[in-house]
Amino acid sequence: MPSLLSSLRSLSVLFTSAQVALLSSSTTVDAGSPPYCPNPQLSCHNTSAVANTCCFNAPGGQLMQTQFWDSDPATGPADHWTVHGLWPDHCDGTFDQYCDPSREYTNITAILQSYGATSLLSYMDTYWKDQGGDDETFWEHEWGKHGTCISTLETDCYTNYQPQEEVVDFFNTTVNLFMGLDSYSFLAAAGIVPSTTKTYTAAAINAALKTPRGVTASIQCSSNALDEIYYFFNVAGSVQTGQFVAETPVGETSDCPATGIQYIPKNLSTEPTSSTSSTSKTTTTSKTTTTTTTSPSSTATGTPISGKGYLEVSTGGAADGCIISAGTWYTTGTCATFTATPSGSGFTLTSSKGACAIVSNALSCASSISSPTVFTQSGNLIASSSGTTFYATAIASGSTQETVYTSKEATSLTISWSAT
C-alpha cells in the first residue's frame, strides 16, 4: 500500500502548480535545485530583453507540446495519441535547433534509470513511441534538437547541478503536459473518432480542441489524414517549476484541407502495454487551479475493470493524491484499496467503508449505500455518466479532504485505476 509522498520537483502545468515525483525506485541520485524564480514573467509577453534566462524562457518562449497519431505503422494504444516532443519556438514561430552539441546525449534510458525515474520511463515506453520502433533514438533526437534549446534547462541554472539532471526535467515536463492533453478524448467529445469511412472538417476538429482549453491548437495532416496536433504555451518562470499558460498559436499554420480530413483507425488494442513496469505509487502536494476542462461523454473501452486497486487523482495531467475509503480526495496519508466488480458494461466500486455511488452529484462510499453506481472506463480513466472529468471546490491539501463531484466546480480532476 503506497504512501502519499512529497515530491522532488515543483511543476506547473496547464494553469496548475504541482510537485511531481521523478524518482520511483530505491536507487536514486541526489539532484541539484532548479532556479528559484520569485514573481516570474510570462514568456513572449516582455517589452524589453530579460537578462535572467534561467527564470525566463528566451529566445524559445513559445513552448509547443506536439503529439502524433501514427496509424500505419501504428504506435501506442488505439485510443490515445502519442508524444512527439516539447519544442521551444521563438515568439514569432521561428526556432533554433541543436543548441548544445556537448549535451546531445545518446543514453536517455540510462540517464533516466540513473535518477530512478522508472515510472517516467515506463510511461514513455507506452506513449512516447517511434514509428520505426527505435524509441531510444527518437528520445535522443527530441532532447538534442529541442531540449538543448530551452534556456531554463541550461546547466548553470541549477544550484548544485548534477550531471544530466536537466534531461530528467525535460522528459518529465513533457510527459506531464502530454498527460493533461488527451487529444483522443477532446476529439471524441465532439463526435470525432477514428473511422475508415467518415471524414471531418478542419473547423470541427479545431473547435473540439479549443473547447477544453479556451484557445486553438494547430493540426497537421499527411495526405489529408490527421496525424499531428501542436499545443502552444507561454511559461511564467522556468520549464522545471513554472506555470504553463495555454496560448493561441503564433507563426505555425495548419497544412490540413478545410474538408475531407481522414482520422484513420490504428486497429490496435485499446489496452496499453509497456516493456517496463513499476509498482511505485507517488502523489503530489496541493496546487492552485485556475481552469477546468470539458468532460467527454462516458464510453466503456476494453474489459471492465475488476479486482483490487487504487483510485489515483490527477490535476492538469500531474498525479495529485488518491481517493480514500469514504470517497473523498486526499493528498496526505495512505491510498485506500478499492474492489472493482464487473456489472453489465461497467463495474461497481467498494471500499472498506462500503459501496460507492454518486449521490447528489458527489462521490460517496458508505455502508448505507444500497445501489452502487455503475462506472465505466476510458483507457485507465474512471468515468461516471457525466464523463471522465470530476471536480472539487478546492485543491486537497495537507490533512484537508475534498468532496469529489460530477457537477462542475472550480477544480477539475481525473481519477485513474491502478491495479494492485
Side-chain angles (χ1 to χ4, degrees):
M1 183 177 297
S3 296
L4 305 188
L5 305 176
S6 60
S7 66
L8 299 172
R9 286 278 190 266
S10 173
L11 172 67
S12 269
V13 291
L14 301 177
F15 302 90
T16 303
S17 62
Q19 289 182 319
V20 179
L22 297 177
L23 311 185
S24 57
S25 73
S26 58
T27 304
T28 64
V29 175
D30 290 334
S33 300
Y36 172 63
C37 302
N39 303 314
Q41 186 173 356
L42 188 64
S43 62
C44 294
H45 287 252
N46 56 309
T47 57
S48 60
V50 176
N52 182 7
T53 57
C54 288
C55 287
F56 184 83
N57 288 280
Q62 180 177 229
L63 277 293
M64 300 163 54
Q65 201 288 293
T66 55
Q67 301 184 10
F68 274 138
W69 181 261
D70 291 328
S71 59
D72 184 24
T75 64
D79 58 352
H80 214 289
W81 286 60
T82 57
V83 183
H84 187 168
L86 182 64
W87 303 349
D89 273 16
H90 296 185
C91 301
D92 61 1
T94 59
F95 61 92
D96 299 318
Q97 57 184 354
Y98 301 107
C99 295
D100 188 349
S102 70
R103 293 192 296 139
E104 290 178 18
Y105 306 124
T106 57
N107 57 336
I108 301 301
T109 295
I111 292 170
L112 298 181
Q113 289 174 337
S114 74
Y115 278 87
T118 54
S119 293
L120 174 61
L121 186 58
S122 177
Y123 191 91
M124 290 166 58
D125 283 335
T126 300
Y127 293 103
W128 200 327
K129 306 298 294 179
D130 176 57
Q131 196 173 33
D134 189 352
D135 297 345
E136 173 69 25
T137 298
F138 181 32
W139 301 340
E140 293 167 1
H141 167 81
E142 289 301 307
W143 163 253
K145 182 176 181 179
H146 302 292
T148 60
C149 296
I150 297 175
S151 68
T152 62
L153 291 177
E154 292 284 346
T155 59
D156 58 7
C157 291
Y158 290 80
T159 301
N160 298 322
Y161 171 75
Q162 300 299 311
Q164 304 171 336
E165 67 175 289
E166 76 278 19
V167 174
V168 187
D169 283 340
F170 171 78
F171 285 98
N172 189 73
T173 297
T174 305
V175 163
N176 276 285
L177 282 172
F178 172 78
M179 290 174 67
L181 296 166
D182 187 350
S183 298
Y184 190 93
S185 293
F186 293 168
L187 296 172
I192 300 171
V193 295
S195 172
T196 57
T197 57
K198 292 182 180 179
T199 61
Y200 304 97
T201 66
I205 295 171
N206 285 325
L209 296 175
K210 182 177 180 179
T211 296
R213 302 174 67 243
V215 295
T216 57
S218 177
I219 59 174
Q220 306 298 316
C221 293
S222 177
S223 301
N224 293 342
L226 182 65
D227 69 346
E228 283 198 84
I229 298 174
Y230 300 163
Y231 294 99
F232 292 73
F233 299 88
N234 292 154
V235 185
S238 71
V239 161
Q240 300 94 307
T241 63
Q243 182 183 43
F244 280 73
V245 178
E247 294 283 355
T248 300
V250 174
E252 185 68 48
T253 58
S254 171
D255 61 3
C256 294
T259 61
I261 299 174
Q262 296 176 287
Y263 186 13
I264 301 172
K266 293 185 182 181
N267 296 321
L268 291 174
S269 168
T270 60
E271 294 298 323
T273 57
S274 174
S275 60
T276 63
S277 62
S278 173
T279 58
S280 174
K281 306 296 177 192
T282 58
T283 65
T284 63
T285 56
S286 63
K287 57 183 75 66
T288 300
T289 299
T290 58
T291 190
T292 58
T293 59
T294 298
S295 174
S297 300
S298 170
T299 302
T301 59
T303 304
I305 291 170
S306 64
K308 296 185 182 299
Y310 308 115
L311 297 180
E312 300 178 337
V313 174
S314 294
T315 56
D320 190 26
C322 297
I323 302 299
I324 57 175
S325 57
T328 51
W329 173 22
Y330 197 45
T331 58
T332 305
T334 302
C335 295
T337 298
F338 288 80
T339 300
T341 304
S343 178
S345 60
F347 55 92
T348 60
L349 292 169
T350 305
S351 75
S352 61
K353 299 288 187 183
C356 302
I358 303 299
V359 180
S360 299
N361 295 324
L363 176 62
S364 177
C365 302
S367 59
S368 60
I369 293 174
S370 58
S371 299
T373 295
V374 176
F375 297 91
T376 55
Q377 69 204 82
S378 178
N380 69 331
L381 294 181
I382 304 296
S384 70
S385 60
S386 300
T388 57
T389 301
F390 294 83
Y391 301 90
T393 57
I395 295 291
S397 175
S399 61
T400 301
Q401 302 174 30
E402 292 293 337
T403 300
V404 174
Y405 297 95
T406 56
S407 55
K408 184 167 289 188
E409 301 290 345
T411 299
S412 62
L413 56 102
T414 57
I415 303 173
S416 59
W417 176 259
S418 178
T420 57

